[in-house]
Amino acid sequence: MKAVYTILSLIILLLLIQTTGFGQNDTASPEVDQSNKVEIANEDPYGIFDSFKGNPGKAGLYSLILPGAGQIYNKRWWKAPLFVAAEGIAIGILVYNTREYRDWDQGYKDMANGITDNYLGLTNISTVRGYRDKKRQNMDYSWLGVIGVHIFAAADAFVDKHLTEFNVNDDISFRLSPIAPYPGMNVTVSF
């Protein structure tokens, strides 16, 4: 019974609290610009290419085109060789796993076509097929690794440039004020 009273009191408390949120003030003039309507009609409906506008978008796009280029654009010189090396290692692992898969695939095809040479000491076709499938899985994971490293480098360049352009102001204030026609308090945090 005590839990029911606690829940009811929380619901009543939540119903009595009035909150008001304010966003950033729009300083643009209320006049409608007719040239802006043409621009809106030509925008990407899904917003995919809108993220490449501005300096953070350029950094991400440069990094997508060439590994490490976004980091160089951001003047984070020490990051560029790290991302180039990471992508090079991922591509090297992909090449190695692709060769391994092709070798085991060829051995499996030879055994399936009746060539009875033992492949690396194995004479059972199901064992060779199992190794081939495992090498295929490793190759697929290698592709995911290459794509993941490439996207991570672009995301790092995008976020790094966005954070360098972020306005950090030392004026962080916390103010309590009454809400005019309603009982309660308004909490305002400015930063």
Side-chain angles (χ1 to χ4, degrees):
M1 198 65 167
K2 187 176 181 180
V4 172
Y5 288 126
T6 306
I7 292 173
L8 284 175
S9 61
L10 283 174
I11 290 173
I12 291 171
L13 181 66
L14 289 175
L15 290 175
L16 292 177
I17 294 175
Q18 162 119 14
T19 59
T20 306
F22 296 99
Q24 295 177 345
N25 292 335
D26 188 16
T27 58
S29 65
E31 299 173 8
V32 177
D33 188 11
Q34 296 298 329
S35 64
N36 223 4
K37 288 185 179 181
V38 174
E39 223 175 280
I40 292 172
N42 292 333
E43 284 184 8
D44 182 27
Y46 298 108
I48 295 170
F49 296 109
D50 290 340
S51 63
F52 294 116
K53 292 180 180 174
N55 290 335
K58 283 183 185 177
L61 183 64
Y62 291 162
S63 191
L64 281 175
I65 293 171
L66 185 66
Q71 284 74 21
I72 292 172
Y73 177 75
N74 291 340
K75 295 186 174 106
R76 303 282 192 232
W77 310 105
W78 62 274
K79 283 186 178 182
L82 294 176
F83 282 109
V84 170
E87 193 145 348
I89 289 170
I91 289 172
I93 291 171
L94 173 68
V95 168
Y96 173 77
N97 286 330
T98 302
R99 286 182 187 158
E100 287 286 314
Y101 169 73
R102 286 183 184 159
D103 289 344
W104 283 97
D105 188 49
Q106 188 61 44
Y108 174 73
K109 287 177 182 176
D110 289 345
M111 286 188 162
N113 289 331
I115 300 173
T116 56
D117 293 340
N118 58 352
Y119 187 73
L120 297 176
L122 298 173
T123 56
N124 188 359
I125 192 167
S126 63
T127 307
V128 173
R129 183 180 59 222
Y131 279 114
R132 181 203 60 172
D133 292 344
K134 184 66 176 167
K135 298 300 178 182
R136 172 63 188 246
Q137 183 181 16
N138 290 344
M139 184 181 67
D140 292 343
Y141 286 150
S142 299
W143 273 110
L144 288 176
V146 168
I147 293 168
V149 167
H150 197 71
I151 290 174
F152 181 71
D156 175 71
F158 181 84
V159 170
D160 190 30
K161 188 62 174 181
H162 182 70
L163 290 178
T164 57
E165 293 181 351
F166 188 71
N167 184 10
V168 179
N169 192 354
D170 291 336
D171 181 26
I172 298 177
S173 60
F174 181 78
R175 189 179 72 211
L176 290 173
S177 62
I179 300 175
Y182 306 106
M185 294 298 287
N186 186 20
V187 177
T188 305
V189 179
S190 303
F191 50 92

